[in-house]
């Protein structure tokens, strides 16, 4: 057995984009790999055929998604031709689509559109629905001459010297400035090269679901000019007349999903009246006119995968309607699984294994998932009667003969609430030695830690650290009441973490209680900032993409103006004192812990000013501190940042703990 090294994760393969063929006999998916030398990711399409054979379909390293045209042909966007690459590099709005015949492996250039397309759906006869970005500064890029388009591109280059803001949010993490930019729905007739916008320039289309046999489509939309609302609407599109009708069954509502279940509409959403924006959703049924509805199921848990890991890349599906069922991923406890529900309202769990379902697709009796299981990395599985059959072995050799630490569960109570945490012993643990330890706090707060592979924690264990982590109150997986810490940030959650730390130190006497560090990102960064201002028990801290000041967060984060009010039950005007009471910056004069701050310059979720404020406060008060800023990165540095940046981040954190905990 050999020790796990920092760089090992650059050899991992990440799977996403799972899509079963119309007959369910084949599956296409995307495999992503890191190119550390060139500091980027490669993405290519792969096929699993009915015989179980895996075949690589593309090799240009830039194909991330595809749709099925029939059982033997795919359509995918790419920039594999030089003229397309050149125009994309010149900032032309452009998406070029290619057709791949699976039997012959012939690839042909099918059509292109002067739009940056994020999703395409085939309607037949050369007609497609497109979701694409629209920038009001550039205006219409379709139905104009080549010369007119080139002039628009040149004019926008000059305009990009300025940012004119007249709405909130005006930027979005991972997207940059988004002022007056929307995702619009378009109809493409590729036979006539004709593009028709179906939604207006102020409306974002958040979800699109088709029912071709009914000739209809469902859209979840949000429309705004000055301030984006937390609510959205449900619209129905008639595919023959292209008429768009608002049919929102419930007003003042946040729709997560809507699709056709037989001749009914099934929708998932939340009113936010009882538990705010983190309220768990319910499942409803309505006729297609949307005039009345019934609750199909009163879910007790959320409808997304909230299990944390730093070994994913690419997007995964959360919902799908197939035949008589709505399928969805949900997190219960510390695992996410695939569920389905029919018109009878009976909820059925489709997967039984502990871990994380990262993506899925269903065609009739064929059920496929991409999942993290035990301490294995992502692989593709088929599912039947809850039994899982592993179909791929992309990562079999990645961790072969590596020393891994199995998380040991610790269940305990605080304030009569049951809580769960885990402890990882150092690799090669020796009962006669004492070791330093690291408390790792997850983001969210409404996410969870589980038992899946987490590279940074396994690496620290291989460096001779105990690593311990838990799901305090505020986490997902245990219902609304458990997740609800509105107005309580830094109180009951802090108490849970400290009680857990005490129990870990009491249960594992080989931990040197004078050499314990703490780290976390996002909400975990907030809690790290909070902890060092309320106790000196930790000898080193690393605060990542954190929040320091709820007032500045309110005015700068892409979610600040609604997240701050909802989670703190206060604004800077109606209760500034409460925001300050829950801001770690208030307690910075009490910090003595050497602290490293990690922040990305394009993190618009927890903007750079949060890290800078806390760092400045510690320096002002003479506390050992260091701030490392990553250029060109956003809030997702640890999950999807450039390979070299992810390595540098882990190196900085590890060396900080090595310096102060050894």
């Amino acid at each position: 057995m050999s020790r796990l090294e920092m760089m090992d994760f650059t050899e991992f393969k990440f799977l996403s984009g799972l899509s079963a063929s119309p007959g369910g006999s084949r599956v296409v998916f995307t495999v992503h790999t890191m190119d550390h030398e060139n500091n980027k990711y490669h993405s290519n399409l792969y096929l699993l055929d009915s015989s179980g054979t895996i075949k690589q379909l593309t090799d240009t390293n830039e194909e991330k998604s595809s749709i099925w045209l029939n059982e033997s042909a795919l359509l995918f966007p790419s920039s594999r031709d030089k003229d397309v690459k050149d125009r994309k590099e010149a900032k032309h709005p452009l998406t070029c689509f290619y057709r791949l015949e699976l039997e012959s492996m012939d690839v042909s250039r099918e059509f292109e559109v002067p739009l940056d397309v994020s999703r395409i759906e085939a309607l037949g006869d050369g007609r497609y629905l497109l979701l694409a970005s629209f920038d009001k500064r550039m205006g219409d890029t379709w139905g104009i001459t080549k010369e007119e388009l080139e002039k628009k591109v040149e004019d926008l280059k000059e305009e990009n010297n300025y940012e004119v803001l007249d709405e909130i949010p005006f930027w979005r993490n991972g997207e940059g400035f988004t002022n007056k930019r929307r995702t619009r729905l378009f109809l493409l007739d590729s036979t006539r090269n004709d593009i028709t916008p179906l939604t207006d320039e102020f409306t974002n289309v958040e979800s699109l679901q088709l029912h071709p046999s009914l000739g209809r489509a469902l859209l979840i939309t949000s429309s705004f000019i000055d301030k984006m609302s937390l609510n959205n609407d449900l619209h129905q599109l008639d595919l023959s007349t292209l008429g768009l009708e608002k049919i929102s069954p419930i007003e003042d509502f946040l729709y997560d999903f809507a699709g056709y279940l037989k001749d009914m509409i099934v929708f998932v959403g939340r009113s936010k009246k009882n538990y705010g924006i983190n309220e768990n959703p319910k499942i409803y049924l309505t006729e297609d006119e949307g005039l009345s509805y019934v609750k199909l199921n009163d879910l007790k848990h959320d409808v997304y995968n909230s299990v944390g890991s730093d070994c994913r890349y690419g997007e995964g599906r959360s919902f799908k309607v197939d035949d008589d069922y709505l399928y969805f991923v949900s997190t219960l406890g510390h695992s996410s699984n695939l569920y389905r529900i029919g018109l009878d309202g009976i909820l059925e769990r489709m997967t039984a294994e502990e871990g994380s379902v990262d993506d899925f697709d269903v065609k009739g009796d064929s059920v496929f998932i991409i999942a993290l299981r035990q301490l294995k990395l992502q692989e593709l599985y088929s599912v039947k009667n809850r039994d899982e059959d592993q179909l791929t072995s992309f990562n079999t050799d990645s961790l072969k003969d590596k020393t891994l630490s199995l998380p040991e569960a610790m269940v305990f109570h605080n304030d009569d609430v049951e809580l769960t945490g885990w402890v990882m012993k150092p690799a090669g643990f020796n009962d006669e030695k004492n070791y330093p330890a690291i408390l790792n706090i997850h983001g969210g707060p409404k996410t969870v830690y589980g038992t899946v592979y987490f590279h940074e924690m396994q690496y620290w264990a291989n460096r001779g650290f105990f690593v311990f982590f838990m799901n305090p109150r505020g986490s997902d997986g245990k219902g609304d009441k458990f997740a609800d810490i509105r107005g309580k940030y830094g109180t009951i959650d802090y108490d849970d973490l400290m009680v857990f730390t005490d129990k870990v130190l009491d249960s594992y006497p080989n931990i040197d209680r004078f050499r314990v560090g703490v780290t976390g990102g996002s909400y975990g960064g907030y809690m790290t900032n909070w902890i060092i201002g309320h106790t000196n028990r930790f000898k080193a801290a690393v605060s990542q993409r954190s929040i320091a000041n709820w007032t500045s967060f309110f005015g700068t984060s892409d979610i600040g103006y609604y997240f701050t009010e909802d989670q703190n039950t206060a604004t800077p005007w109606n209760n500034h004192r409460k925001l300050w009471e829950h801001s770690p910056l208030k307690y910075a004069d009490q910090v003595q812990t050497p602290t490293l701050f990690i922040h990305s310059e394009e993190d618009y979720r927890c903007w750079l000013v949060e890290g800078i404020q806390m760092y400045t406060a510690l320096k002002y008060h003479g506390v050992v501190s260091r701030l490392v800023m990553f250029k060109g990165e956003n809030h997702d540095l640890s999950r999807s940042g450039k390979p070299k940046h992810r390595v540098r981040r882990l190196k900085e954190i590890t060396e900080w703990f090595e310096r102060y905990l050894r």
Side-chain angles (χ1 to χ4, degrees):
M1 301 293 285
S2 60
R3 190 170 72 174
L4 184 74
E5 300 294 344
M6 181 188 299
M7 293 289 293
D8 285 343
F9 83 101
T10 64
E11 301 298 323
F12 297 168
K13 294 179 174 62
F14 311 102
L15 280 58
S16 71
L18 185 58
S19 178
S21 65
S25 63
R26 293 171 159 181
V27 183
V28 66
F29 55 97
T30 307
V31 176
H32 311 273
T33 57
M34 288 189 188
D35 180 351
H36 180 261
E37 181 179 354
N38 295 301
N39 205 25
K40 62 182 181 181
Y41 293 85
H42 293 167
S43 302
N44 288 292
L45 300 178
Y46 281 70
L47 177 75
L48 172 73
D49 65 22
S50 56
S51 67
T53 302
I54 304 291
K55 179 190 295 185
Q56 184 172 340
L57 301 179
T58 64
D59 59 6
T60 64
N61 298 327
E62 60 174 63
E63 285 82 19
K64 298 180 180 179
S65 63
S66 64
I67 63 168
W68 291 91
L69 294 176
N70 53 54
E71 197 67 24
S72 60
L74 295 170
L75 187 73
F76 63 89
S78 183
S79 302
R80 51 176 51 205
D81 291 325
K82 186 179 185 304
D83 68 305
V84 178
K85 279 189 172 74
D86 290 344
R87 283 181 288 162
K88 293 285 285 185
E89 290 176 0
K91 305 300 182 184
H92 280 236
L94 174 66
T95 308
C96 189
F97 289 91
Y98 297 80
R99 182 185 180 109
L100 170 62
E101 298 291 344
L102 296 177
E103 307 308 323
S104 64
M105 292 298 291
D106 289 337
V107 177
S108 58
R109 188 161 159 175
E110 199 71 350
F111 55 83
E112 65 177 60
V113 291
L115 297 165
D116 291 323
V117 177
S118 57
R119 183 173 169 189
I120 184 169
E121 292 284 352
L123 299 177
D125 299 324
R127 297 166 72 242
Y128 299 87
L129 287 179
L130 309 175
L131 290 183
S133 177
F134 173 79
D135 188 337
K136 185 171 174 58
R137 299 175 305 163
M138 181 177 281
D140 297 356
T141 57
W142 59 94
I144 59 177
T145 66
K146 178 182 177 182
E147 292 73 23
E148 289 172 328
L149 179 58
E150 288 180 347
K151 185 177 186 308
K152 283 177 176 279
V153 171
E154 288 302 312
D155 290 345
L156 188 59
K157 288 180 181 178
E158 169 61 26
E159 187 63 24
N160 280 335
N161 288 313
Y162 322 96
E163 286 294 346
V164 179
L165 310 178
D166 58 7
E167 65 184 22
I168 54 174
F170 49 82
W171 56 19
R172 191 174 301 276
N173 183 67
E175 299 178 28
F177 283 92
T178 57
N179 196 82
K180 291 296 187 291
R181 299 174 199 179
R182 303 289 190 269
T183 298
R184 296 180 68 179
L185 179 66
F186 297 86
L187 176 69
L188 166 69
D189 186 334
S190 63
T191 62
R192 298 189 296 122
N193 196 29
D194 182 62
I195 298 174
T196 305
L198 302 180
T199 56
D200 64 56
E201 60 189 29
F202 296 109
T203 297
N204 264 323
V205 180
E206 302 172 0
S207 172
L208 171 65
Q209 300 295 325
L210 304 183
H211 199 314
S213 63
L214 289 178
R216 296 170 184 155
L218 288 172
L219 284 67
I220 296 175
T221 67
S222 59
S223 185
F224 68 100
I225 295 177
D226 293 315
K227 182 176 74 171
M228 186 185 74
S229 169
L230 286 187
N231 299 317
N232 51 24
D233 287 304
L234 182 60
H235 284 78
Q236 185 163 242
L237 174 69
D238 188 312
L239 296 177
S240 58
T241 66
L242 301 183
L244 192 62
E245 178 187 9
K246 177 181 172 182
I247 61 166
S248 299
I250 308 176
E251 296 292 339
D252 298 325
F253 196 73
L254 182 61
Y255 294 88
D256 293 286
F257 172 83
Y260 294 98
L261 190 57
K262 293 295 188 181
D263 57 351
M264 305 279 284
I265 293 174
V266 59
F267 65 95
V268 183
R270 61 201 81 199
S271 67
K272 309 180 299 298
K273 292 179 180 178
N274 296 318
Y275 293 98
I277 60 176
N278 282 338
E279 183 176 276
N280 287 329
K282 313 302 178 192
I283 303 176
Y284 302 85
L285 273 178
T286 183
E287 301 288 350
D288 59 9
E289 293 84 4
L291 298 178
S292 61
Y293 62 90
V294 295
K295 187 184 296 184
L296 187 60
N297 190 279
D298 191 7
L299 284 177
K300 303 301 182 185
H301 38 104
D302 214 341
V303 287
Y304 295 98
N305 175 19
S306 58
V307 179
S309 175
D310 54 1
C311 288
R312 301 186 183 103
Y313 188 82
E315 299 297 322
R317 187 196 310 269
S318 295
F319 302 94
K320 182 174 183 179
V321 173
D322 185 76
D323 291 339
D324 298 336
Y325 297 96
L326 167 66
Y327 293 82
F328 61 94
V329 176
S330 181
T331 300
L332 180 62
H334 56 268
S335 289
S336 63
N337 280 280
L338 180 63
Y339 294 79
R340 75 178 185 183
I341 190 170
L343 290 171
D344 56 7
I346 297 175
L347 189 64
E348 181 181 358
R349 181 168 163 176
M350 304 295 293
T351 56
E353 296 292 329
E354 184 175 293
S356 169
V357 174
D358 298 340
D359 196 6
F360 77 92
D361 200 7
V362 179
K363 289 290 183 182
D365 294 331
S366 299
V367 180
F368 302 95
I369 63 172
I370 292 170
L372 290 166
R373 294 295 186 232
Q374 296 89 40
L375 292 182
K376 295 192 295 186
L377 298 168
Q378 284 182 324
E379 298 292 355
L380 174 62
Y381 299 81
S382 63
V383 181
K384 189 170 185 179
N385 298 325
R386 288 198 182 187
D387 291 330
E388 298 177 8
D389 182 19
Q390 184 175 327
L391 304 175
T392 62
S393 300
F394 286 102
N395 289 298
T396 299
D397 295 332
S398 299
L399 299 174
K400 188 177 181 181
D401 299 326
K402 297 291 184 179
T403 55
L404 301 181
S405 180
L406 185 67
E408 299 176 1
M410 176 179 287
V411 179
F412 63 101
H413 286 79
N414 188 31
D415 296 335
D416 294 325
V417 176
E418 184 178 277
L419 300 163
T420 304
W422 294 265
V423 180
M424 292 166 52
K425 291 178 180 176
F429 172 74
N430 184 338
D431 194 42
E432 296 181 357
K433 292 178 60 177
N434 287 334
Y435 297 88
I438 301 170
L439 168 63
N440 203 1
I441 307 170
H442 67 60
K446 199 183 177 189
T447 63
V448 296
Y449 276 139
T451 57
V452 299
Y453 182 88
F454 220 114
H455 182 71
E456 65 181 34
M457 292 197 275
Q458 288 290 344
Y459 175 62
W460 295 333
N462 273 264
R463 296 290 297 181
F465 291 91
F466 270 87
V467 183
F468 57 106
F469 50 98
M470 71 162 299
N471 295 324
R473 279 172 285 184
S475 302
D476 200 6
K478 290 191 174 183
D480 282 318
K481 185 177 179 180
F482 185 87
D484 185 19
I485 57 170
R486 291 173 300 163
K488 301 174 184 177
Y489 275 56
T491 61
I492 58 174
D493 46 356
Y494 170 71
D495 190 45
D496 288 345
L497 289 163
M498 294 304 99
V499 169
F500 174 57
T501 299
D502 289 336
K503 290 186 177 296
V504 169
L505 296 180
D506 290 341
S507 301
Y508 292 84
N510 294 90
I511 296 177
D512 184 341
R513 61 180 61 235
F514 299 106
R515 293 191 292 148
V516 180
V518 60
T519 187
S522 195
Y523 165 76
Y526 165 86
M527 283 308 304
T528 300
N529 290 344
W530 184 270
I531 286 169
I532 60 177
H534 286 77
T535 178
N536 296 322
R537 70 185 302 176
F538 296 95
K539 299 309 174 187
V542 180
S543 173
Q544 307 169 59
R545 59 187 192 278
S546 66
I547 297 172
N549 182 347
W550 282 113
T551 299
S552 57
F553 181 83
F554 180 100
T556 57
S557 169
D558 61 350
I559 63 172
Y561 68 93
Y562 62 83
F563 189 86
T564 301
E565 181 177 16
D566 180 83
Q567 293 295 288
N568 288 277
T569 63
T571 72
W573 301 277
N574 65 23
N575 198 344
H576 181 266
R577 180 179 178 180
K578 182 169 181 59
L579 293 186
W580 186 235
E581 289 290 330
H582 291 274
S583 294
L585 189 63
K586 176 184 178 181
Y587 311 96
D589 61 340
Q590 301 176 39
V591 177
Q592 297 179 22
T593 309
T595 304
L596 169 67
F597 295 92
I598 300 285
H599 229 104
S600 298
E601 289 194 353
E602 295 177 14
D603 183 345
Y604 302 138
R605 184 62 38 83
C606 297
W607 195 36
L608 182 60
V609 295
E610 298 301 312
I612 288 177
Q613 286 178 91
M614 200 70 185
Y615 164 76
T616 300
L618 266 59
K619 279 294 185 185
Y620 178 81
H621 289 99
V623 180
V624 175
S625 52
R626 171 183 170 94
L627 171 61
V628 181
M629 297 183 289
F630 288 80
K631 295 182 178 180
E633 296 293 355
N634 59 52
H635 196 66
D636 297 316
L637 166 65
S638 64
R639 299 178 286 257
S640 59
K642 296 180 180 66
K644 288 184 179 180
H645 295 177
R646 292 178 67 178
V647 171
R648 176 63 180 268
R649 167 195 166 272
L650 186 51
K651 181 174 182 289
E652 290 281 349
I653 297 171
T654 306
E655 288 182 349
W656 190 262
F657 285 135
E658 294 275 5
R659 182 179 309 151
Y660 291 101
L661 301 183
R662 290 299 182 190

